Every structure is written in C-alpha cells, then in structure tokens.
C-alpha cells in the first residue's frame, strides 16, 4: 500500500496520519488538452449522395454501353455542372483544428534572442512535493519550522520534533516531550547544522545533538512562560518569551544568561540577528519592532534598544535581514496591518511600505536574486514573490488551504518549505538555481611582454 493509500485509509478510519509522509496527488486528466485526432460531425456528410455513390451509380456504370469520346466528355462536363463528380463520400464540413504545438513559439523565439538578454526564469506554480504534518499547532506567534545548514529540516508537531533529511527524504524523531511541558513552541538550528534548540510551553529550552540524538542541557530561568521565538548568534542563543523578555544565553557556560533586553510589553514572536551578528531585530504582539545593538549590551542591567519602530498596527512576527544590504531590515504585520515595511537600521527610518492585502506570516529573501518571498493568511493563503525594489508581484503560489504560518529556506537558497494550519508541509522551487560563476578567461600575453626592452 503506498503513502497516499495509507493517508486515505487513516483518514477514513479516524486514525492519526503518518508524520512527514508524502501525499500522492492525482494529476488532472489532460487528454482534453492534448487531442491528437479530429472526428467529423455526422451532419457534415451528404448521406443521399453517399447512398447514390455506393449503390445506384455503380449499377448504371456496370450496364452503361460503350460510348464515343465526345459523349464521354459531355458526360463529365454535365457531372461537374450538377456537382455529382465528387470522389469522396465522407467530407469535412469545417476544417479540423490546428494541432497543438509541441514546442511553444515563445521557446523557439527565445533561442534567437541576443546573448545579452537574460531569459525569463520559470517559476513553478505548484509545490514540488507535499508532506503530511499532523498536529501542527495553528498559532501565529510560534516558530515551528527551521532548515539547518546540513540540509536537515526540523518541524515541531504537537509534542514531537521530527527531522526530515532533504538529501535522502528520510524522517526521524528527535524528541517527544511530556504533556505538562509541551507543546513545543519553537525550534532553531545552530549555525553548525548539528545542534538544535527546542523551546517549550513551560518556559524551558532544551539543547539537542541531532547526530547522536542526545540531549545536552536544559536552559531554565530565562522566562516565566512559553518560548515562542529563538535566534542563534554563534554560541549565543537568544530567546523571546510570552513574558515580553529577550534573553541572550551563552550555551558554553553554566550561568548561561548573559544579557537581557526589555522593551516589549507583550509576547516576543519574532527574532533575527543580522549577518554581522551586531544587531538584533525583535517583533512583538505589541505591534512594535526593536533594533538592539550588541555594543550597547550590558550584563548588569537591561539593555536599552537602539531603535523603537512603531509604524505597524498589528503583531510583527515576520522579520528578515537583507542579504545584500546589511542595514536593510524587512518586517511584516499581522491581520490588522497587512503591510511589508523596509527599514534603514542605521537611522531607524522607514524606507517603504507595501500593502499586501492579507496577514503577513513570514518573509524570506532570495540568496541569488533581488527577490522577496512572503507568506500570507486569509483569503488566499498564498506565497507571493516580489521583485525588489519595485515590489512588483512576480508570482503567487497557492495550494495551502489555511494560513501559511511558517517558512524555511534550504541551505543553497533555492527551495522553500512552507507549513500551514492545514497540517501540510510543502516544498517550492521558487528562487531558482543560482548561476554558476564563470571562470575568468585566459589572458593571452604578447610575446616577451614580461621584458621591458630587448637589449
């Protein structure tokens, strides 16, 4: 029995689905779009003439006496005038439709484009594969999906963290916590792609070694309630709690709490360190975005923010730093805001604001092109690809039937995984394959170019 049958069977019997099993989707019958023959309508045929040709005219021909050439020529002219000189019995009333082109004309014409013109990249409109994600918590403020540098995807389903290895599509279970500690509220891979942090509903954070499947330690005392957001900065694990606090934890030492940032009055639902590790962006349910600078951090007292950004009118969970401009931060607002905003983190100025028309749940920058991907909720539950800086829509990817709460990007930057409240995990080839760097052309030096002059 295949995976699709197992899923269908389990749904019918009320049993739980198999986590991270691929859904086998039936392709639509495309025979209507690829007809290879034309069958004429019966109304196009002259049945009286056909009957005459098959019966009566043959009898006349058999009994007809031999006539002179002049009489035969007269008979042919008469037959043409009376339209009884046809040789076909069945005939097309209308011309058959033109056959479908095997190679679309736009593909043929693109071959003749000049080499300097960059061909338009094809963006698949459907997901490459879909996996079941039963018991995925439908909570906007959590962060339950992350893709590590070793090409392993981590997803929290209820009380369990599963690991999906993208290299061979294998699935393993990392940890299942007790009901009094769960559900799991956040997951975050360390930069090495081997160690992973697991945030819990009971305010604790567990550190795991995925290679040996062993728990290394538990961080306690950081928060008074659930840990919904986390971000790594080398050996520093930053955690954000429902209590509004942000804590820097040095995982190498026993007394792991080294700095505390206080500025949010409600749950911290988004955390992202800049590529340099110097600035931290935080978003909260209080509609605020804060920029924190490590140079201002203090272990003796709570650190004050560098910038306090108050332009959003709803919770800010979606945060992402631009990979090609270090001081550019992109944020997305919830259902009451629906905007994507761009910030200069040196000055705190809002550079642009774009109304998307729906709740912004997550944001990702392309590593290869100047493109931004956003995931949304009501009404289309879509992923939208934007061209930067014009913010023109390049594509809208649909398939999820509930808000797309979580997104993660593969290490090579090409594939995006999205998880939604519909309990599915989908993979999209949205960012394309990076261009291979061209090797430098060989320089042909003139003879004796290394000699200043010949004596």
């Amino acid at each position: 029995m295949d995976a699709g049958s197992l899923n269908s069977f389990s749904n019918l019997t009320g049993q739980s689905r198999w986590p991270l099993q691929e859904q086998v989707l039936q392709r639509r019958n495309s025979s209507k779009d690829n007809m290879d023959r034309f069958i004429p309508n019966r109304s196009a045929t002259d049945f009286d003439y056909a009957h005459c040709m098959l019966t009566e005219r043959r009898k006349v021909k058999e009994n007809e006496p031999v006539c002179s050439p002049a009489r035969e020529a007269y008979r042919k002219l008469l037959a043409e005038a009376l339209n009884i000189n046809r040789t076909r019995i069945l005939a097309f009333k209308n011309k058959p439709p033109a056959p479908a082109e095997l190679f679309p004309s736009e593909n043929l014409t693109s071959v003749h484009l000049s080499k300097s013109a960059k061909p338009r990249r094809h963006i698949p409109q459907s997901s490459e594969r879909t996996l079941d994600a039963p018991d995925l918590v439908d909570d906007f403020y959590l962060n339950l999906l992350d893709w590590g540098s070793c090409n392993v995807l981590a997803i929290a389903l209820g009380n369990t963290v599963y690991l999906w290895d993208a290299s061979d599509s294998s699935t393993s279970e990392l940890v299942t916590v007790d009901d009094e500690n769960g559900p799991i509220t956040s997951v975050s891979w360390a930069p090495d792609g081997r160690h992973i942090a697991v945030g819990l509903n009971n305010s604790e954070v567990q550190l795991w070694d995925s290679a040996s499947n062993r728990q290394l330690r538990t961080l306690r005392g950081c928060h008074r309630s659930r840990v919904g957001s986390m971000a790594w900065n080398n050996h520093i694990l930053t955690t954000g709690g429902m209590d509004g606090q942000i804590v820097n934890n040095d995982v190498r030492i026993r007394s792991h709490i080294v700095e505390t940032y206080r500025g949010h009055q409600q749950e911290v639902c988004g955390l992202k360190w800049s590529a340099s590790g110097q600035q931290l962006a935080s978003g909260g349910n209080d509609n605020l975005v804060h920029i924190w600078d490590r140079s201002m951090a203090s272990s003796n007292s709570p650190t004050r923010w560098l910038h306090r950004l108050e332009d959003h009118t709803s919770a800010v969970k979606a945060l992402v730093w631009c990979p090609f401009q270090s001081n550019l931060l992109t944020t997305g607002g919830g259902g009451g805001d629906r905007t994507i905003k761009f910030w200069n983190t040196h000055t705190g100025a809002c550079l642009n604001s774009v109304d998307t028309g729906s709740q912004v749940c997550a944001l990702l920058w392309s590593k290869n092109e100047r493109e931004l991907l956003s995931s949304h909720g009501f009404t289309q539950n879509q992923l939208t690809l934007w061209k930067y800086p014009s913010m023109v829509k390049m594509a809208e990817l649909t398939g999820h039937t509930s808000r797309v709460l979580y997104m993660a990007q593969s290490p090579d930057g090409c594939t995006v995984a999205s998880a939604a409240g519909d309990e599915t995990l989908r993979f999209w080839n949205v960012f394309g394959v990076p261009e291979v760097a061209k090797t430098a052309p060989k320089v042909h030096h003139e003879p004796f170019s290394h000699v200043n002059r010949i004596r």
Side-chain angles (χ1 to χ4, degrees):
M1 186 178 293
D2 60 10
S5 301
L6 284 173
N7 294 333
S8 302
F9 178 77
S10 61
N11 289 337
L12 290 173
T13 57
Q15 299 174 5
S16 61
R17 290 175 294 164
W18 293 56
L20 305 186
Q21 291 295 308
E22 187 161 8
Q23 294 184 353
V24 181
L25 302 177
Q26 292 184 351
R27 297 184 180 273
R28 291 180 297 177
N29 187 354
S30 59
S31 60
K32 293 183 179 180
D33 302 326
N34 298 296
M35 294 183 292
D36 60 353
R37 60 189 179 131
F38 175 74
I39 302 175
N41 195 322
R42 290 174 63 89
S43 63
T45 302
D46 187 343
F47 284 96
D48 292 334
Y49 172 73
H51 184 267
C52 173
M53 289 289 290
L54 292 173
T55 58
E56 300 299 329
R57 196 159 181 266
R58 180 178 297 176
K59 294 178 182 177
V60 172
K61 251 189 171 181
E62 290 175 353
N63 300 325
E64 190 175 26
V66 179
C67 57
S68 65
R71 187 177 180 84
E72 180 64 21
Y74 172 76
R75 188 188 64 78
K76 288 181 179 181
L77 290 173
L78 183 64
E80 289 178 1
L82 297 177
N83 196 27
I84 59 173
N85 198 30
R86 290 180 289 166
T87 58
R88 295 179 63 95
I89 296 177
L90 298 176
F92 292 120
K93 188 173 184 179
N94 298 315
K95 289 185 178 181
E101 292 182 354
L102 296 178
F103 301 97
S105 56
E106 61 265 23
N107 292 344
L108 296 176
T109 56
S110 64
V111 177
H112 302 288
L113 293 177
S114 64
K115 292 184 179 180
S116 60
K118 188 175 182 180
R120 185 170 183 178
R121 176 165 55 85
H122 171 66
I123 303 171
Q125 297 297 301
S126 58
S127 56
E128 180 187 13
R129 68 169 63 192
T130 302
L131 305 182
D132 276 326
D135 300 324
L136 181 72
V137 179
D138 186 0
D139 192 324
F140 177 80
Y141 304 102
L142 305 185
N143 292 272
L144 304 179
L145 185 69
D146 197 19
W147 204 327
S149 59
C150 289
N151 208 18
V152 177
L153 186 80
I155 184 170
L157 303 178
N159 292 346
T160 304
V161 174
Y162 293 94
L163 304 180
W164 185 81
D165 193 331
S167 60
D168 58 8
S169 301
S170 62
T171 303
S172 61
E173 180 181 323
L174 178 69
V175 56
T176 298
V177 300
D178 298 332
D179 288 338
E180 57 267 24
N181 298 327
I184 293 165
T185 51
S186 55
V187 293
S188 182
W189 282 105
D192 61 6
R194 172 171 175 167
H195 300 94
I196 185 171
V198 179
L200 303 179
N201 193 55
N202 70 347
S203 78
E204 295 179 354
V205 176
Q206 295 182 359
L207 298 181
W208 284 77
D209 184 339
S210 64
S212 60
N213 211 56
R214 181 170 60 95
Q215 184 179 351
L216 302 177
R217 66 181 301 185
T218 300
L219 307 180
R220 297 183 176 90
C222 307
H223 302 278
R224 297 187 300 272
S225 53
R226 71 180 186 180
V227 182
S229 56
M230 297 187 292
W232 286 89
N233 187 0
N234 294 321
H235 55 273
I236 298 295
L237 174 63
T238 305
T239 57
M242 197 175 189
D243 54 10
Q245 286 200 145
I246 300 171
V247 178
N248 281 350
N249 301 272
D250 191 332
V251 299
R252 304 170 301 175
I253 59 179
R254 182 179 295 274
S255 301
H256 50 86
I257 300 177
V258 291
E259 286 119 20
T260 302
Y261 302 153
R262 290 193 178 97
H264 290 282
Q265 301 302 315
Q266 296 187 40
E267 182 167 14
V268 179
C269 48
L271 285 174
K272 283 291 188 307
W273 280 100
S274 63
S276 65
Q278 188 62 30
Q279 291 188 334
L280 172 71
S282 64
N285 192 32
D286 51 8
N287 310 344
L288 296 176
V289 176
H290 286 104
I291 308 297
W292 314 85
D293 197 292
R294 284 221 69 188
S295 63
M296 302 171 59
S298 171
S299 57
N300 299 323
S301 61
T303 302
R304 184 171 176 80
W305 60 82
L306 177 65
H307 297 295
R308 183 185 182 99
L309 312 177
E310 303 178 351
D311 291 16
H312 282 291
T313 58
S314 188
V316 182
K317 173 194 172 186
L319 300 166
V320 63
W321 291 88
C322 179
F324 53 84
Q325 188 174 338
S326 60
N327 65 323
L328 180 61
L329 176 70
T330 310
T331 61
D337 181 270
R338 305 181 300 275
T339 65
I340 297 175
K341 298 184 187 297
F342 299 86
W343 309 88
N344 182 338
T345 59
H346 287 171
T347 64
C350 183
L351 305 176
N352 192 14
S353 180
V354 179
D355 189 350
T356 68
S358 59
Q359 177 187 52
V360 183
C361 302
L363 291 168
L364 287 174
W365 277 102
S366 168
K367 296 180 181 179
N368 310 313
E369 302 285 347
R370 297 202 169 198
E371 298 169 0
L372 179 71
L373 183 69
S374 57
S375 70
H376 299 270
F378 183 80
T379 58
Q380 291 184 321
N381 307 307
Q382 83 280 17
L383 281 71
T384 303
L385 184 64
W386 309 82
K387 188 67 178 177
Y388 182 83
S390 65
M391 291 304 286
V392 172
K393 288 184 182 180
M394 297 178 63
E396 286 197 339
L397 312 178
T398 57
H400 283 294
T401 57
S402 182
R403 55 184 180 174
V404 188
L405 293 170
Y406 319 110
M407 286 199 304
Q409 194 172 11
S410 62
D412 63 4
C414 300
T415 305
V416 169
S418 62
D422 58 11
E423 298 186 336
T424 65
L425 176 65
R426 294 174 182 263
F427 295 84
W428 313 82
N429 287 332
V430 61
F431 284 139
V433 179
E435 294 183 1
V436 179
K438 295 181 179 180
T439 56
K442 293 183 179 180
V443 179
H444 299 282
H445 297 285
E446 294 295 326
F448 306 108
S449 61
H450 62 288
V451 180
N452 290 333
R453 64 180 182 272
I454 300 177
R455 296 182 183 272

